[in-house]
Amino acid sequence: MSKQTKLTRFNDNVLAKYQVYNSVFATLPFDSVSKTGTLLPLFNETCIEGFKSGKTPTEIVDEFFNKYKPDASEEDRISFLFKIIQYIERQVVLFDAIEDAAFPIINNMGGVGTIRNIKEEASSKRVRRELTQYLSDFKVRLVLTAHPTQFYPGTVLTILTDLQEAIKNDDLSLIKKLLAQLGRTTFFADKKPTPYDEAISLIWYLENVFYHSISKIYDYIHYHLFEGEDVDNEIINLGFWPCGDRDGNPFVTTETTLKVARKLRQTILKNYYRDIRKLKRRLTFPGIFELMNEIESSLYDSCITENSPIRISVESLLSKMTSIRKTLKEEHSNLFVDEVDSFTNKVKIFGFHFATMDIRQDSRVHHDVFTGIVKELQEKGDTTFPANYLEMSPDEQIKVLAKVKGNINPEKFSEEMVVRTLGSMRAIETIQKENGERGANRYIISNNQTALNVMETFAMLNLSGFDDGLNVDVAPLFETVDDLAIAPEVMRQLYSIPEYRQHVAKRKNKQNIMLGFSDGTKDGGYLMANWGIYKAKEELTKVSREFGIKVIFFDGRGGPPARGGGKTSKFYASLGDNIENKEIQLTIQGQTISSNFGNLDSSQFNIEQLLGAGITNKIFNDPMNASLTDAQKELLEDLAESSFKAYSDFKNHEMFVPYLERMSTLKFYGKANIGSRPSKRSKSDKLNFSDLRAIPFVGSWSQLKQNVPGFFGVGTAFKKYEDAGEFDKVQDLYNNSNFFKTLLENSVMSMAKSFFDLTSYMAKDAEFGAFWNIIHDEFELTKRLLLKLTGHTELMQNYPDGKASIAVRDSIVLPLLTIQQYALKEVQNMSKLENPDNKRLETFEKIVTRSLFGNTNASRNSA
């Protein structure tokens, strides 16, 4: 019997089940659901046929009401539209639950890229020894960020988790109850979450998913690759940004940072306590049982509250577990040794910190803060800085900053931002004392442009009185195209400073550098942003190796194709030997957390894929993953430059910002109460491109179903070669470089989620019609040439299961998107009136805001 394809498994285990359970949901015994569920298929069909016929969203909505609810007043219409939105939000949750429940059926948990498969391949190729040597030093770090692209509140996430389990067990009775609960549960917040709220939401994933999936992977590696021998490397660890990331978030304080660090410690100790209680039921032997009682009691006392005094250290806990293991081996025939090892592994991985908190702030804020520090110290007669420091050149200032040390009290300064910034640096030392050095040991400088930016941070840290020396990595973040280009020069200058080089030596000769993140694609467009990062990585690797330093790249990827996500593991496997790759670090956020790591199966699979990517790059020499040749680089440089010019011209178009501001959902993100940060950087009423945050920026294009950041400029770049009769060069690059192929596959995914029929009415708009056509023309050009390049007849042809999933999700949210565009048009019309009906305007704005939720959740990696 032949093995089913992934598409067949998807159709049988996801699509078919969704159709069954959605029909159950439609007939639940409460009024708003049953009536809405009956009419929704008719509305959906009206949308499908309407867009095929070239009708506008307004015409489609009017047609539906005229046909099926002809006597409805506007108030009744609005009430029905809200019910449609509410219903679709819950349909999306249902589909998520079904798809997540089927994850291990759709995906081969022992297939290509998994640890089991890698072990077998290493054995067949006789490179097991090389594999274990590599894993002795290789690491993957997933960094959970507070950047909000996930709209599900905690109550809904709990239902989603329980629904997955009920679906796995085909428990129809429980499924009905959970669907009924879902129908009555609120999907949106009445007020914005605090940074602490965001932290608690993500700690749920640490406790309920990552704690189990990471330890399961590590145990397999420990036993099946290292054959039970100790591994002096945690291999997989976690990073954490909520309440540490201050960039653009005025609500993050030193107090919240410390509170979250203590919550992380309390949570991991609670997990240890639970595990010890279970383990104690097995270790009932004399001498061991008493020791387990001591451990249990110490852990319980240490985790009663966030501020409970610690009654046992990591070292003491590990020592006791080692003693227990030894006794089991010598006196009890190794009975339950595996369980003891598994618990010990968890303690080695998670320590008492659970996840490492990063502190982050913008270089421009640092500079202002530092200037304030110097001025105030000088006014008080302090001689830490020369009297003429502020008049010195940057190079002269760097010489001073390299030697600065001290212990200045933040509370002695008058400027609030000085107090907060220095306080955040002192918090690092406090966390290290309470949670261990891994609790917080990295300071990230956003918008880093110069060596001076780094040295100002370095100096402030050295003025913060670290008792045991500065156990902190200073990590510049190079974001824009220009910043990426000068990054190697900046790092060469830093490495040449004796005091800074000495600091790096104390940090095991490792230098953390973050690349890309939010503003890369927004600034440079898709091809240039990703090519800029690739080039920067090669040059930074070269410079770092010259100085005997191992550079650790931290990618601000976030998951979405628009910022280089998509098939993340394939991307990392394709980077070649000229890019340091002993550690893979990347941010994950929003829907990427819940969709790729939201349950034990998906978390295990996707973490193993990342591990596999690093191993594949170094151990299994696939020629498609080799470093790019000079000719390939020259071609990519030209493609990126052509793409960058097209994107820059588009970005600088006079209608670019007005289009986003007035024709998209951009301004509604700030009203959605999904994140603690303000939705734009400045407080001015006028919107400037530089003020746009990446998530509302990318998300707004996604809501329009235009996904500009994922493709714009690619088609123009390819057409240059087609017109010159040299398209075969692009074809050859695609066929021989996994880096280029993966880059384009991510773009294809972004385009597959586009649907220009939704906004085609804008083509006739007197003000924005020409601009809409620019976007549409580039989309069609890019689509045509990508299909020509891949030899496919449709987008994502080589990922039929992924394409099918997108198609179902798009079908679910089509009515919601139609309603959103209808409401947006009403808002635009009313905004042109001298005396609009403010109550009616507010109602339609609320429709737009609410419609953000379901669409974003359905797309899973849109922002």
Side-chain angles (χ1 to χ4, degrees), residues 21-36:
Y21 292 135
N22 188 44
S23 65
V24 171
F25 184 41
T27 58
L28 286 175
F30 44 94
D31 195 54
S32 62
V33 165
S34 58
K35 288 184 178 178
T36 306

Side-chain angles (χ1 to χ4, degrees), residues 523 644-657 689 771:
D523 175 61
F644 181 50
K645 183 181 185 310
Y647 177 77
S648 297
D649 290 345
F650 172 66
K651 183 182 70 175
N652 295 327
H653 194 287
E654 61 181 357
M655 287 299 171
F656 186 90
V657 172
F689 181 79
F771 187 77

Side-chain angles (χ1 to χ4, degrees), residues 333-366:
S333 304
N334 281 323
L335 195 59
F336 301 120
V337 159
D338 289 358
E339 287 82 351
V340 170
D341 283 344
S342 182
F343 178 79
T344 302
N345 287 340
K346 288 174 180 173
V347 179
K348 288 179 179 179
I349 296 166
F350 302 115
F352 280 7
H353 64 288
F354 210 163
T356 302
M357 292 188 74
D358 285 333
I359 309 297
R360 183 173 79 118
Q361 184 54 282
D362 191 285
S363 66
R364 293 163 291 194
V365 173
H366 280 167

Side-chain angles (χ1 to χ4, degrees), residues 210 448 629 647 651 669 673 686 703 795 830-831 844 854:
F210 289 107
N448 198 96
T629 65
Y647 177 77
K651 183 182 70 175
Y669 272 82
N673 293 332
K686 185 179 179 183
Q703 296 286 327
L795 297 173
M830 281 186 276
S831 298
F844 278 92

Side-chain angles (χ1 to χ4, degrees), residues 601-776:
D601 291 322
S602 63
S603 176
Q604 178 185 337
F605 182 82
N606 284 304
I607 292 171
E608 287 192 24
Q609 291 293 314
L610 282 173
L611 281 170
I615 294 165
T616 299
N617 194 12
K618 296 297 180 182
I619 305 299
F620 308 137
N621 298 313
D622 182 348
M624 284 283 286
N625 292 333
S627 298
L628 296 169
T629 65
D630 289 343
Q632 289 174 327
K633 288 179 184 178
E634 186 178 337
L635 176 57
L636 259 166
E637 179 71 27
D638 190 57
L639 288 169
E641 286 291 347
S642 298
S643 175
F644 181 50
K645 183 181 185 310
Y647 177 77
S648 297
D649 290 345
F650 172 66
K651 183 182 70 175
N652 295 327
H653 194 287
E654 61 181 357
M655 287 299 171
F656 186 90
V657 172
Y659 181 82
L660 276 176
E661 194 169 21
R662 288 156 53 192
M663 304 298 280
S664 82
T665 57
L666 181 69
K667 68 179 182 180
F668 295 92
Y669 272 82
K671 301 177 182 180
N673 293 332
I674 58 160
S676 64
R677 291 201 314 173
S679 59
K680 65 188 184 78
R681 288 186 173 88
S682 77
K683 295 180 180 179
S684 66
D685 293 333
K686 185 179 179 183
L687 181 66
N688 296 308
F689 181 79
S690 59
D691 291 336
L692 292 177
R693 292 200 184 282
I695 287 169
F697 175 75
V698 176
S700 295
W701 291 115
S702 173
Q703 296 286 327
L704 286 167
K705 298 299 282 183
Q706 294 175 0
N707 291 332
V708 160
F711 72 85
F712 202 95
V714 176
T716 297
F718 287 175
K719 190 172 185 298
K720 174 183 174 182
Y721 281 81
E722 184 184 50
D723 290 346
E726 296 180 331
F727 196 73
D728 59 306
K729 291 183 177 179
V730 183
Q731 189 79 61
D732 184 67
L733 180 61
Y734 178 83
N735 291 335
N736 291 287
S737 167
N738 271 343
F739 169 74
F740 188 56
K741 179 174 284 190
T742 304
L743 206 59
L744 296 185
E745 284 181 349
N746 295 341
S747 186
V748 165
M749 181 193 292
S750 188
M751 295 180 73
K753 294 181 179 181
S754 299
F755 179 59
F756 276 83
D757 288 352
L758 178 72
T759 56
S760 60
Y761 71 92
M762 294 182 186
K764 299 175 184 176
D765 188 272
E767 191 173 4
F768 293 106
F771 187 77
W772 185 90
N773 278 311
I774 291 173
I775 302 169
H776 184 245

Side-chain angles (χ1 to χ4, degrees), residues 158-324:
T158 302
I159 298 170
L160 177 59
T161 302
D162 294 342
L163 197 52
Q164 286 173 29
E165 198 60 33
I167 290 166
K168 278 185 179 180
N169 298 326
D170 289 322
D171 188 342
L172 184 58
S173 175
L174 180 56
I175 290 169
K176 282 184 175 181
K177 289 179 181 179
L178 291 170
L179 289 175
Q181 180 187 359
L182 192 66
R184 299 171 187 267
T185 301
T186 302
F187 265 58
F188 62 96
D190 293 327
K191 59 182 181 179
K192 290 175 79 68
T194 66
Y196 186 72
D197 293 335
E198 292 172 333
I200 295 301
S201 295
L202 292 188
I203 287 173
W204 185 93
Y205 287 101
L206 297 183
E207 182 173 18
N208 293 285
V209 181
F210 289 107
Y211 179 74
H212 304 285
S213 61
I214 289 175
S215 57
K216 184 177 180 181
I217 297 168
Y218 190 92
D219 285 349
Y220 185 89
I221 292 171
H222 179 209
Y223 280 108
H224 296 279
L225 293 180
F226 287 86
E227 298 176 348
E229 296 296 321
D230 280 345
V231 187
D232 188 23
N233 177 24
E234 69 271 21
I235 300 175
I236 311 161
N237 57 44
L238 295 165
F240 202 76
W241 275 20
C243 293
D245 180 11
R246 284 154 167 73
D247 184 6
N249 195 333
F251 309 113
V252 175
T253 65
T254 301
E255 290 72 27
T256 56
T257 301
L258 293 173
K259 187 177 181 181
V260 168
R262 289 163 185 154
K263 187 65 178 178
L264 285 166
R265 184 186 67 221
Q266 181 196 26
T267 305
I268 192 62
L269 289 174
K270 277 184 177 178
N271 279 15
Y272 292 162
Y273 170 71
R274 294 189 195 109
D275 281 357
I276 283 294
R277 281 180 61 84
K278 292 176 186 174
L279 190 55
K280 193 177 77 165
R281 292 167 64 92
R282 299 289 169 264
L283 304 183
T284 52
F285 317 125
I288 292 179
F289 189 74
E290 291 77 10
L291 195 51
M292 289 296 291
N293 271 333
E294 285 180 30
I295 295 171
E296 180 189 3
S297 177
S298 298
L299 287 172
Y300 178 79
D301 290 344
S302 300
C303 69
I304 296 172
T305 70
E306 293 171 10
N307 296 306
S308 296
I310 302 303
R311 302 299 186 191
I312 186 170
S313 67
V314 172
E315 293 75 20
S316 176
L317 180 55
L318 287 172
S319 175
K320 290 179 189 296
M321 296 311 296
T322 300
S323 175
I324 289 169

